Amino acid sequence: PDEEPALHVDAIDVIYGRAVSALRSVSLTVPHGGVVALLGANGAGKTTLLRAVSGTLRLHRGAVTAGRIRYGATELDGRDPVAAVRAGVVQVPEGRRVFAGLTVDENLRTGGLGLGRRAPALVREARDRVFALFPRLAERTHQAAGLLSGGEQQMLAIGRALMAAPRLLLLDEPSLGLAPQMVARIADVVKEINSQGTAVLLVEQNAGMALSLADSAYVLEVGEIRLSGAADELARTDAVRRLYLGET
Ligand code: ATP
């Protein structure tokens, strides 16, 4: 019945520990098959929002204390990461956290664990899709992930998430610390993933890149949504041009 799920974050509050307020009444929608950018300065709460959706907030001593998060018919607030992955929602954490001591292939297989027990063929299929997207990884299947370049590690982190065949991918600052050429490559990859039917919620400091990819965008400021709208319209507003696109 639920062929075209969308993500609905509805007026959530998030706190860390007992009292640190990180998000206040934040609402956001990612339509089925869409690309949505989430912009904001350091500490605005972008990562916190992704954690709330992917069920990883509790690992950081955080909690959703008000509001709701739904993906299609599935309630995601208060659930764990396994529930989110089962629903088709997978997060790529910031800082391209790969298992440095494991090979490329072993890293990818950790992303497909949920698939593996049921059908090895599914894992092979998922891996073939990842290698088609990232030929560099296919050439390095037996290399330790820690020996890859920064850009290759980011690709591996994305590839590992794709092993779970997400319908919604949560991407946390994929361009961080990468050379411009690699940033352009990551942008192409996001387009390609989206064109294959996966929706993307993209957290970025690189507002120019994010707005060029996204259909719509939200700007977070100290835990609250300040601006939202169509990406091309937001890119033309004075506030976004000055604060996030570095124009004067
Ligand atoms: P960045 O780009 O630096 O990751 P961000 O917009 O993703 O910034 P968050 O990491 O979500 O911001 O942080 C939002 C607020 O929550 C900040 O004030 C941060 O200090 C606080 N915070 C984040 N994680 C924790 C935690 N585990 N415990 C306590 N406070 C936290």
Side-chain angles (χ1 to χ4, degrees), residues 16 20 22 40-49 51 60-61 94 173 205:
Y16 286 106
V20 180
N42 275 325
K46 306 180 297 296
T47 297
T48 298
L49 180 53
R51 286 174 179 162
H60 302 273
R61 307 199 329 117
E94 189 181 18
E173 308 228 15
Q205 297 263 341

Short mmCIF file of all heavy atoms in Angstrom, two decimals, residues 16 20 22 40-49 51 60-61 94 173 205, ligand 1:
data_model
loop_
_atom_site.label_atom_id
_atom_site.label_comp_id
_atom_site.label_asym_id
_atom_site.label_seq_id
_atom_site.Cartn_x
_atom_site.Cartn_y
_atom_site.Cartn_z
N TYR A 16 20.13 16.76 24.31
CA TYR A 16 21.23 15.86 24.67
C TYR A 16 21.34 15.87 26.19
O TYR A 16 21.19 16.91 26.83
CB TYR A 16 22.54 16.33 24.06
CG TYR A 16 22.66 16.07 22.57
CD1 TYR A 16 22.54 17.11 21.66
CD2 TYR A 16 22.89 14.79 22.09
CE1 TYR A 16 22.66 16.88 20.28
CE2 TYR A 16 23.01 14.54 20.72
CZ TYR A 16 22.89 15.60 19.83
OH TYR A 16 23.01 15.36 18.49
N VAL A 20 20.51 19.87 27.37
CA VAL A 20 21.07 20.63 26.24
C VAL A 20 20.11 20.59 25.06
O VAL A 20 19.93 19.54 24.43
CB VAL A 20 22.45 20.09 25.80
CG1 VAL A 20 23.00 20.91 24.63
CG2 VAL A 20 23.43 20.10 26.96
N ALA A 22 19.03 20.94 21.43
CA ALA A 22 19.74 20.97 20.14
C ALA A 22 18.80 21.34 19.00
O ALA A 22 19.21 21.99 18.04
CB ALA A 22 20.41 19.63 19.87
N GLY A 40 23.41 25.09 7.20
CA GLY A 40 23.51 25.76 8.48
C GLY A 40 24.94 25.77 8.97
O GLY A 40 25.74 24.94 8.53
N ALA A 41 25.24 26.69 9.87
CA ALA A 41 26.60 26.82 10.39
C ALA A 41 26.95 25.64 11.29
O ALA A 41 26.09 24.83 11.65
CB ALA A 41 26.72 28.13 11.16
N ASN A 42 28.21 25.56 11.69
CA ASN A 42 28.64 24.58 12.68
C ASN A 42 27.79 24.66 13.93
O ASN A 42 27.56 25.75 14.44
CB ASN A 42 30.09 24.85 13.10
CG ASN A 42 31.07 24.22 12.14
OD1 ASN A 42 30.82 23.14 11.60
ND2 ASN A 42 32.18 24.89 11.91
N GLY A 43 27.32 23.52 14.40
CA GLY A 43 26.58 23.51 15.65
C GLY A 43 25.12 23.87 15.52
O GLY A 43 24.40 23.95 16.52
N ALA A 44 24.64 24.10 14.30
CA ALA A 44 23.24 24.50 14.11
C ALA A 44 22.27 23.37 14.41
O ALA A 44 21.10 23.61 14.75
CB ALA A 44 23.02 24.99 12.67
N GLY A 45 22.75 22.12 14.30
CA GLY A 45 21.89 20.98 14.59
C GLY A 45 21.64 20.06 13.42
O GLY A 45 20.78 19.18 13.48
N LYS A 46 22.40 20.23 12.35
CA LYS A 46 22.17 19.44 11.14
C LYS A 46 22.40 17.95 11.38
O LYS A 46 21.57 17.11 11.03
CB LYS A 46 23.10 19.93 10.01
CG LYS A 46 22.99 21.42 9.74
CD LYS A 46 23.91 21.87 8.61
CE LYS A 46 25.39 21.67 8.89
NZ LYS A 46 25.92 22.46 10.02
N THR A 47 23.54 17.63 12.01
CA THR A 47 23.83 16.23 12.29
C THR A 47 22.80 15.65 13.25
O THR A 47 22.38 14.49 13.11
CB THR A 47 25.25 16.10 12.89
OG1 THR A 47 26.20 16.54 11.91
CG2 THR A 47 25.57 14.67 13.27
N THR A 48 22.39 16.45 14.21
CA THR A 48 21.39 16.01 15.18
C THR A 48 20.09 15.59 14.48
O THR A 48 19.48 14.57 14.84
CB THR A 48 21.11 17.14 16.19
OG1 THR A 48 22.32 17.43 16.90
CG2 THR A 48 20.03 16.75 17.18
N LEU A 49 19.68 16.35 13.47
CA LEU A 49 18.46 16.02 12.75
C LEU A 49 18.60 14.67 12.02
O LEU A 49 17.70 13.82 12.09
CB LEU A 49 18.11 17.14 11.76
CG LEU A 49 16.85 16.96 10.92
CD1 LEU A 49 15.65 16.64 11.79
CD2 LEU A 49 16.58 18.21 10.10
N ARG A 51 20.58 12.25 12.90
CA ARG A 51 20.60 11.21 13.94
C ARG A 51 19.20 10.88 14.43
O ARG A 51 18.88 9.71 14.71
CB ARG A 51 21.42 11.68 15.14
CG ARG A 51 22.92 11.68 14.93
CD ARG A 51 23.59 12.30 16.14
NE ARG A 51 25.04 12.33 16.01
CZ ARG A 51 25.83 13.11 16.73
NH1 ARG A 51 25.31 13.92 17.65
NH2 ARG A 51 27.13 13.08 16.57
N HIS A 60 24.29 8.85 21.16
CA HIS A 60 24.98 10.09 21.54
C HIS A 60 24.31 10.73 22.75
O HIS A 60 24.44 11.92 22.97
CB HIS A 60 24.99 11.05 20.34
CG HIS A 60 25.66 10.46 19.13
ND1 HIS A 60 27.00 10.53 18.91
CD2 HIS A 60 25.15 9.73 18.09
CE1 HIS A 60 27.30 9.90 17.78
NE2 HIS A 60 26.20 9.41 17.27
N ARG A 61 23.54 9.96 23.49
CA ARG A 61 22.84 10.44 24.68
C ARG A 61 21.84 11.53 24.37
O ARG A 61 21.59 12.43 25.16
CB ARG A 61 23.84 10.89 25.77
CG ARG A 61 24.87 9.80 26.08
CD ARG A 61 25.60 9.94 27.40
NE ARG A 61 25.80 11.30 27.85
CZ ARG A 61 25.26 11.80 28.96
NH1 ARG A 61 24.46 11.07 29.72
NH2 ARG A 61 25.52 13.02 29.32
N GLU A 94 29.11 11.53 9.17
CA GLU A 94 30.12 12.54 8.84
C GLU A 94 31.51 11.96 9.08
O GLU A 94 31.70 11.10 9.92
CB GLU A 94 29.90 13.75 9.75
CG GLU A 94 30.71 14.96 9.39
CD GLU A 94 30.44 16.12 10.37
OE1 GLU A 94 29.91 15.86 11.47
OE2 GLU A 94 30.75 17.25 10.01
N GLU A 173 27.54 15.80 5.23
CA GLU A 173 28.73 16.52 4.76
C GLU A 173 29.68 15.67 3.94
O GLU A 173 30.86 15.54 4.28
CB GLU A 173 29.49 17.11 5.96
CG GLU A 173 28.58 17.92 6.84
CD GLU A 173 29.16 19.28 7.21
OE1 GLU A 173 30.13 19.71 6.59
OE2 GLU A 173 28.60 19.89 8.12
N GLN A 205 28.03 21.90 4.29
CA GLN A 205 28.56 23.24 4.52
C GLN A 205 28.74 23.92 3.17
O GLN A 205 28.71 25.14 3.08
CB GLN A 205 29.94 23.15 5.19
CG GLN A 205 29.96 22.52 6.55
CD GLN A 205 29.94 23.54 7.65
OE1 GLN A 205 30.26 24.69 7.42
NE2 GLN A 205 29.53 23.12 8.83
P1 ATP B 1 28.56 20.37 12.62
O1 ATP B 1 28.59 20.84 11.21
O2 ATP B 1 29.61 20.98 13.48
O3 ATP B 1 28.44 18.89 12.77
P2 ATP B 1 25.75 20.53 13.15
O4 ATP B 1 24.91 21.58 12.54
O5 ATP B 1 25.71 19.18 12.57
O6 ATP B 1 27.24 21.04 13.22
P3 ATP B 1 25.16 19.25 15.63
O7 ATP B 1 26.39 18.40 15.59
O8 ATP B 1 23.87 18.62 15.33
O9 ATP B 1 25.36 20.49 14.69
O10 ATP B 1 25.09 19.94 17.06
C1 ATP B 1 23.98 20.72 17.49
C2 ATP B 1 24.18 21.12 18.95
O11 ATP B 1 24.11 19.98 19.78
C3 ATP B 1 25.53 21.76 19.24
O12 ATP B 1 25.34 22.78 20.18
C4 ATP B 1 26.35 20.63 19.81
O13 ATP B 1 27.32 21.14 20.70
C5 ATP B 1 25.29 19.83 20.55
N1 ATP B 1 25.66 18.39 20.62
C6 ATP B 1 25.91 17.58 19.56
N2 ATP B 1 26.16 16.32 19.98
C7 ATP B 1 26.10 16.34 21.32
C8 ATP B 1 26.25 15.36 22.35
N3 ATP B 1 26.53 14.07 22.06
N4 ATP B 1 26.10 15.76 23.65
C9 ATP B 1 25.80 17.04 23.94
N5 ATP B 1 25.62 18.01 23.03
C10 ATP B 1 25.77 17.68 21.74
#
